[in-house]
Amino acid sequence: MSAADLTAGREGPLADTDTRLSRTPRVAVADAALRDRLERIWRTEPGLKGWFGTVDHKEIGKRYLVTAFIMLAIGGIEALVLRLQLAGPNKHLLTPEQYNELFSTHGMTMIFLYAGPVLSGFSNYFFPLWLGARDMAFPRMNALSYWIYLAAALFLYAGPLVGAGPNDGWFNYVPYAEKAFNPGINEDIYALGMVFLGISTSVGAANFIVTAARCRAPGMSINRLPIMVWGTLTASAANLVVIPAVSLAFFLLWMDRNLGTSFFTVAGGGEPLLWQHLFWLFGHPWVYAIVLPAMGMVSDGLPTFSRTPLVGYTLVALSTVATMLLGFGVWVHHMFATGLPGLGLAFFSGASIIITIPSAVAVFAWLATIWLGKPVFTTAFKFFAGMILLFVIGGVSGFMTASVPADWQLTDTYFVVAHLHYVLIGINVFPVCGATYMWFPKMTGRLMDERLGWWNFWTMFLGFNLAFLPMHLTGLLGMPRRIYTYDAGMGFSALNMITTIGSFVFAVGVLMFFWNVIKSRRSGAIAGPDPWSGPSLEWTIPSPPPPYNFAVIPTVASRHPLWEDQLDETENRSSFEEGMTLDEGKEALAVSILDAEPDRILKMPSDTTAPFWLTVATAVLFAGLLGKLWWLAALGGIGAIASLAFWNEPRTKLLEREPDAHEERRNG
Ligand code: HEM
Ligand SMILES: [Cu+2]
């Protein structure tokens, strides 16, 4: 697209621009003066105020990533202690109660504080870069979602730190979670912490949805979105639907425990199975929420390193959405052993088997992409390709447990522990490592060490399989999950030893990963803007990106803007050097949902500490509830309202967006 097209704005994505926007934006080639000006408008103030007040999605994304990786390390150490306890029969490193707390804390940490947030970190950092935008749709809400995540993580960890961690597994079944059986404060912390964390996830999800819908470069119609965007979008939509179920469940549990209600207690007319329904109505879609964006990483990463477009883009995008939709209808497969009526079981078994079809579509698309491409065997490629194998193994064991009679044998054995780790480590940890190797250069300007990467991948890959492949057998031999020890002579002592050894090998691999990140940040080779010759918009800007991301808003003419010369998909060409400058203040562009035509000039909020204070106040509220100090809770509530008022204090700068030209024309 040439400059004339842009200014005339009569054809292509910029057509009619002047009628919808509040002014006709200046279109120019990015020059040093413009960059300088944008830098001054967008940069975060140095010092404490900037640190607590930043709304830059890249800063927030990095914080998410660092916090999530710290949680991975903590959860990993917990796992290793568990494995030491299980290395041989009749060990007494941990008491039964300590073992309970440790595996529950491990599950909570990995599922809620690592696996979800790490993907939010990548999406936060990269959504605007993939989409050709200057920031997320709601930068202050973005800051809020991070602060609440951090505060909820600290809140949840207050338990384990004082020896009162969750002790009923990550899914926390009643009646054991009820006060009568579990009088300590453990479950209260877990219940309130989960409600607290739910705020962060919901706020973040809403932000991702609106950003993907509205904050894109002109021309990036929905059939040109990176698959990673599809993954995060569907995951976020699901979260908005299901987080209320789990927040409600945990809040009802807290009321049962503290206010004498009996939602889940039989004696008071309650229904224990209600807990399982509410939890898994959330829980199953959640496991998709923590794998679909990661599958998106593979769908975007493999083509980059195979030097060819993803095979079956449309099918893969649709299968992402289909997985999520079907994912709402399978939760009862976690409850096959609860004595529900047979007809119900048959339905949920069928649904759980059908849901493997869209996953298979993705697998074939990935294999075909590698097959048709010319793979470059970078570390990132190895992690993405390795994931395919682990995904298939985890998928097959999932298929097996989807069958009711098989599940009656397998449930609550180590077979399920093997399955869930293949899925979670295979489809979350491996793609996340690959994504780090791939996008670290964009974030830091430096490449990670490929030689160390080779060792990193192979140690993790072999260690993981050594630990968890034999575990299927341990389960088939009948070892129940969640037991703190076992007798010699049960037939699974050797297998357990192998698993423990494999776990440590895997952990060494993860350490190499962390070491590579730390080392490369200082001394990695300089990456340049586009070290992998990637196809998408993030590779058009400097590494690390400037605070405003794109000096001029790019215009997109195809699905692979940087590969247009090789692929020849369209006649037009995307434009990166020349575009709307949007430099009259902190401005960004909103586009129409389907076709990405310019629609609004957005005035973006500047840095503010309101999200931070709102988080502090909410934390006080939850602390008050926890201690049943109602005055403290009230104080927190008042503080939250005050922070919201501060947040929403009308700022004329932000109100400039109305009335726009469209409105004026209609009114005048
Ligand atoms: C070094 C890597 C890891 C090792 C050695 C490991 C080991 C273990 C062990 C020993 C258990 C307890 C089994 C039982 O007693 O029933 C467990 C449970 C669990 N792990 Fe891991 N794990 C690792 C990484 C992960 C990761 C990365 C995730 C998620 C992303 C994860 C998610 C879970 C979950 C959800 C449970 C179930 C907890 C429960 O029963 O409530 N693990 N893991
Ligand atoms: Cu499930």
Side-chain angles (χ1 to χ4, degrees), residues 72 79-80 82-83 86 99 103-104 106-107 110-111 114-115 169-171 414 417 420-421 424-425 429 468 481-483 503 506:
L72 175 68
L80 294 180
L82 292 171
R83 280 319 314 177
L86 295 174
Y99 189 89
F103 78 70
S104 307
H106 165 73
M110 290 303 199
I111 298 262
Y114 157 73
W170 73 285
F171 44 75
Y414 261 84
V417 182
L420 73 90
H421 284 90
L424 289 167
I425 296 184
V429 178
F468 290 93
R481 73 189 280 199
R482 297 174 167 173
I483 50 161
S503 304
F506 179 72

Side-chain angles (χ1 to χ4, degrees), residues 100 103-104 166-173 187 190 482:
N100 281 355
F103 78 70
S104 307
N167 57 7
D168 187 17
W170 73 285
F171 44 75
N172 210 48
Y173 282 174
E187 290 298 316
Y190 190 39
R482 297 174 167 173

